[in-house]
Amino acid sequence: MVKAQMKRKFNIEIQVHNNVERALKQLKKKNEREGVVRDMKRLVYFESPTQKKRKRLMRAIKQNYIRMASQKLI
């Protein structure tokens, strides 16, 4: 089976005037919003369909547990 990899170009522009720290903070926020790191990790590490399904299931269980705890059901 041949797996096609998703190729995505990221065009993120930040204007730097004087404050480099502020520009770096803006860049990090834009990267996070656009999911650059998440997409790159997904491309670098192969995950089998079974692992993906298990991860989704575990995330759903955790979120349900947190939701129930916040409503004081447990």
Side-chain angles (χ1 to χ4, degrees):
M1 178 179 1
V2 177
K3 182 182 177 195
Q5 289 188 354
M6 177 182 71
K7 292 186 179 182
R8 184 173 161 189
K9 292 185 179 180
F10 298 102
N11 295 325
I12 300 174
E13 294 182 16
I14 301 287
Q15 293 180 357
V16 180
H17 296 289
N18 289 331
N19 195 346
V20 176
E21 290 83 18
R22 183 173 166 205
L24 185 60
K25 188 175 181 180
Q26 287 177 347
L27 178 64
K28 286 181 181 180
K29 276 205 178 275
K30 283 190 177 186
N31 279 341
E32 185 178 328
R33 266 189 240 122
E34 298 219 359
V36 174
V37 176
R38 184 179 61 238
D39 287 345
M40 295 309 290
K41 282 183 180 178
R42 190 171 48 225
L43 290 176
V44 171
Y45 302 108
F46 176 75
E47 207 171 35
S48 70
T50 309
Q51 288 173 329
K52 287 181 186 179
K53 185 177 179 181
R54 180 165 172 78
K55 231 182 211 183
R56 279 197 310 269
L57 177 65
M58 295 305 288
R59 190 179 318 122
I61 290 171
K62 183 178 179 182
Q63 287 174 348
N64 192 27
Y65 183 77
I66 291 170
R67 191 177 306 115
M68 289 175 62
S70 69
Q71 295 175 357
K72 305 205 189 295
L73 297 175
I74 49 173

